[in-house]
Amino acid sequence: MRAARLIKMVLLLQTRRAMTGAELAAELEVSERTVSRDVLALSEAGVPVYADRGRSGGYRLVGGYRTRLTGIARGEAEALFLSGVPRALREMGLADAASAARLKVSAALLPELSDAHRSAAQRFHLDAPGWWQPPQEPPPHLPALADGVWDDRVVRMRYRRREAEVGGTSRAARPRGREVEPYGLVLKAGVWYLAARVRESGDLRVYRADRVSGVEETGQRFVRDEEFDLPAFWEERSAAFARSILRDKVVLRLTPAGTRRLRYVTDARAAEEALTTAEDPGTAEETEETGEETGAEEETGDGERHGGTGGRVTVVLAVESLDVAHTQLLALGPECEVLEPPALRARFAEAARRMAAHYGPGADAGAPSDHR
């Protein structure tokens, strides 16, 4: 432990030229007295550490001394590629390895490039969670899963599916647990997922890390499929999952403004598919039937172009449920007309009636409203 600390002290002084005892103590997480003892030990070992006395004094290396102890270990090199994702490093237990790797790289750089890591950190940052999501505690077994991923080690895992536990001691579980080959970890919108191959079936599956209730090492290693592509696998599975939850369909008639806004209030992929296969009702037929002029839009104070019967399209949209569709599509207001199913159209008609009661001619802003 002390040897690693001494090496880190030399690398710090090599990178930053001069540091006070307090600065070194903070970086090494020790007391200033320990720093003094470590400096003495380095001097006795032949490392030319010089102490400047006085208020502005500190420690520095004499004569441009440079150590060659900059070899990066495999784990440090792997962590270095994730150094732009500090939260991910902390949650997987790799923050120390990444810090050591960055320090070694800095020490190996030319003097004029020694501040490269600080320069990059000041300019780029990745904030993975979505907006308005409070910080979540990392999954308790994430470090163990990460160890299995890094070292290609088979683990025995217990996993909860809602109320039931798979691989544990519940009635539907197998007592010995489920052995998996952890292939990769994905951080999606602040949630960790594990991509793993089930040893019994050979299937590649995705598990939420926060539903893992236990991880045990088996002492076995697995041979990783070199053709496995984690980003491609995740893209395919996430798209399949998004499609699987869209179990219902609704038919809508959209104005041009509604067409533009649809992807922002519903599933983006479903909206794109619906608009790609949209049917144009035909402006000529619409004009003949309604007697209204088509192709015209009215511009309101919000800068959007609304209204008109022209340019409207009919789409079939996949939705999670009619309740979800009702909530989402209300955001489109008059730019969306629900045609099918009749039950959802009736709910929108009722919502329109209640809105008219609030805002129609003669409505009293102070009068009680109907909250049925």
Side-chain angles (χ1 to χ4, degrees):
M1 182 70 179
R2 189 188 186 198
R5 189 174 71 240
L6 292 175
I7 292 173
K8 185 173 182 179
M9 178 182 288
V10 174
L11 293 174
L12 284 168
L13 293 174
Q14 181 176 311
T15 303
R16 304 188 187 179
R17 298 295 181 267
M19 297 180 69
T20 66
E23 290 171 340
L24 282 169
E27 286 284 351
L28 300 173
E29 298 180 351
V30 295
S31 67
E32 291 190 48
R33 179 172 295 181
T34 299
V35 169
S36 298
R37 288 198 297 264
D38 287 349
V39 168
L40 180 59
L42 287 173
S43 297
E44 292 174 350
V47 179
V49 182
Y50 181 77
D52 289 318
R53 304 295 181 182
R55 181 177 299 178
S56 59
Y59 298 99
R60 61 185 176 86
L61 295 174
V62 177
Y65 175 87
R66 297 185 69 81
T67 178
R68 298 193 179 195
L69 297 174
T70 54
I72 298 180
R74 180 179 179 83
E76 295 169 345
E78 291 169 333
L80 184 61
F81 286 101
L82 294 173
S83 59
V85 195
R87 176 189 169 189
L89 287 169
R90 288 194 302 270
E91 294 183 356
M92 290 191 292
L94 296 173
D96 290 342
S99 176
R102 286 194 296 269
L103 185 58
K104 289 179 178 180
V105 170
S106 297
L109 293 174
L110 295 173
E112 58 268 25
L113 299 177
S114 61
D115 66 340
H117 67 288
R118 289 191 297 272
S119 177
Q122 290 170 349
R123 289 164 172 79
F124 301 100
H125 175 68
L126 174 64
D127 186 8
W131 287 103
W132 303 292
Q133 292 184 1
Q136 302 291 327
E137 289 295 322
H141 300 288
L142 181 62
L145 295 174
D147 287 343
V149 169
W150 285 123
D151 297 334
D152 295 340
R153 293 202 301 265
V154 178
V155 298
R156 184 175 296 111
M157 182 180 75
R158 293 190 300 276
Y159 184 74
R160 296 188 302 272
R161 291 185 184 275
R162 297 181 181 175
E163 300 302 324
E165 183 172 281
V166 176
T169 56
S170 64
R171 289 178 296 175
R174 291 177 293 179
R176 293 189 61 191
R178 169 175 294 173
E179 291 189 357
V180 299
E181 300 172 356
Y183 264 65
L185 287 164
V186 175
L187 179 60
K188 169 72 171 179
V191 180
W192 284 98
Y193 297 88
L194 172 71
R197 187 185 301 277
V198 181
R199 299 209 90 189
E200 183 178 21
S201 64
D203 296 337
L204 273 168
R205 299 183 183 177
V206 175
Y207 302 91
R208 278 186 62 137
D210 57 1
R211 293 181 186 167
V212 174
S213 60
V215 177
E216 301 173 11
E217 290 191 21
T218 64
Q220 305 174 61
R221 301 179 72 90
F222 66 92
V223 179
R224 178 177 291 268
D225 181 1
E226 296 299 331
E227 300 297 321
F228 178 74
D229 184 335
L230 180 59
F233 170 80
W234 176 256
E235 182 177 1
E236 177 187 346
R237 290 302 176 91
S238 58
F241 172 75
R243 289 193 298 269
S244 70
I245 64 173
L246 302 178
R247 300 184 179 91
D248 286 320
K249 291 186 176 181
V250 297
V251 182
L252 314 172
R253 182 179 292 141
L254 302 170
T255 66
T259 300
R260 290 191 294 272
R261 297 177 186 174
L262 183 65
R263 67 185 309 273
Y264 299 107
V265 300
T266 65
D267 180 85
R269 286 194 182 96
E272 292 296 333
E273 292 177 4
L275 293 173
T276 300
T277 59
E279 298 178 6
D280 189 337
T283 57
E285 294 180 5
E286 200 169 277
T287 302
E288 182 178 343
E289 292 179 4
T290 64
E292 297 174 349
E293 183 179 353
T294 64
E297 291 183 315
E298 301 173 2
E299 187 169 344
T300 61
D302 60 4
E304 280 279 11
R305 299 190 65 81
H306 300 271
T309 57
R312 294 194 297 178
V313 294
T314 301
V315 302
V316 179
L317 177 69
V319 295
E320 185 174 345
S321 68
L322 296 186
D323 286 337
V324 171
H326 179 260
T327 301
Q328 293 176 336
L329 296 174
L330 275 175
L332 295 179
E335 313 305 332
C336 169
E337 178 187 359
V338 176
L339 302 180
E340 296 180 19
L344 184 60
R345 183 178 175 87
R347 291 180 65 178
F348 271 83
E350 172 63 13
R353 183 192 67 77
R354 293 174 59 187
M355 290 287 285
H358 288 310
Y359 302 107
D364 184 356
S369 58
D370 181 4
H371 290 289
R372 288 184 301 166

